Amino acid sequence: KVKKEAKLIANNENKELVPSFENATYWTSKQQWEWALNPNRREKASFLKENILPLEKHIKLIEKDTAIFDGIITLKLYNGHTDGQVIPFIQYQGRTIVYGADLFPSTAHLPMPYVMSYDTRPLLTLEDKKCFFAEALEKDAVLFFEHDLYHECCSLHETPKGVRAKETFTLKEFVANTKG
């Protein structure tokens, strides 16, 4: 069974591309927005103007770590994969869950030297991973992965070889087992 993906933009009755969610606000960093509007040659195909510009009036730009929704979500900026990548830290029932985005696309990318070949500045990614791990371990954060074929979420722990997945589970299992 194939899930249909929600699209941020769609054609209206005049065949113009418009936001699918007309009342939505899309949070991103100023750096990411400028990067999307002026991509390098390698990433140009990822930032098609026809997919981005219809959202422009709905974009809320941030330039530093920012708490939204009464502090339930904190948007933190990381570099390396791209400048100003937004990583949301979400408070849920007394726990912190972090959407790994492209800083941590999968459990395979948890070891320090393992970064995506698509990162624009891998050495900066390593510095950001180090900072991320310090905070994530302190908060006992759960990581949620977008790109991992085998694991939706994991908890973390420090091992002699560095930070690794402690337990893996689905997001549904995390929600069901988290008490406030």
Side-chain angles (χ1 to χ4, degrees), residues 14-171:
N14 297 326
K15 303 285 187 213
E16 302 165 320
L17 286 172
V18 297
S20 296
F21 307 100
E22 61 188 46
N23 296 320
T25 299
Y26 300 96
W27 294 81
T28 192
S29 71
K30 183 177 180 187
Q31 295 160 298
Q32 282 285 281
W33 184 249
E34 290 173 359
W35 188 284
L37 295 177
N38 302 293
N40 61 44
R41 288 189 311 241
R42 182 172 150 206
E43 297 179 307
K44 195 170 187 161
S46 296
F47 297 109
L48 301 174
K49 299 270 192 262
E50 59 269 22
N51 292 339
I52 296 168
L53 292 178
L55 300 173
E56 189 167 26
K57 292 179 183 173
H58 299 269
I59 296 289
K60 176 81 171 178
L61 299 177
I62 61 172
E63 295 187 54
K64 61 183 180 181
D65 294 355
T66 302
I68 60 175
F69 305 115
D70 295 325
I72 294 170
I73 299 174
T74 301
L75 306 175
K76 296 187 177 247
L77 305 184
Y78 291 88
N79 301 296
H81 176 68
T82 56
D83 287 346
Q85 178 182 198
V86 175
I87 303 290
F89 284 62
I90 303 160
Q91 299 307 307
Y92 178 76
Q93 302 288 338
R95 293 289 309 270
T96 301
I97 186 164
V98 181
Y99 173 66
D102 289 328
L103 181 62
F104 293 101
S106 73
T107 53
H109 292 90
L110 291 175
M112 276 303 285
Y114 296 4
V115 298
M116 291 196 325
S117 62
Y118 215 64
D119 285 2
T120 59
R121 294 190 288 163
L123 295 177
L124 192 51
T125 299
L126 292 177
E127 288 303 311
D128 276 356
K129 285 176 75 169
K130 181 179 173 183
C131 293
F132 175 89
F133 281 146
E135 183 173 0
L137 287 167
E138 178 185 318
K139 292 183 176 185
D140 190 26
V142 168
L143 267 65
F144 172 70
F145 303 104
E146 174 182 13
H147 301 295
D148 197 310
L149 291 174
Y150 306 105
H151 309 288
E152 273 187 345
C153 299
C154 80
S155 58
L156 300 170
H157 67 136
E158 185 75 50
T159 75
K161 291 186 175 189
V163 177
R164 298 292 190 268
K166 182 177 180 180
E167 298 177 280
T168 59
F169 40 88
T170 67
L171 186 59

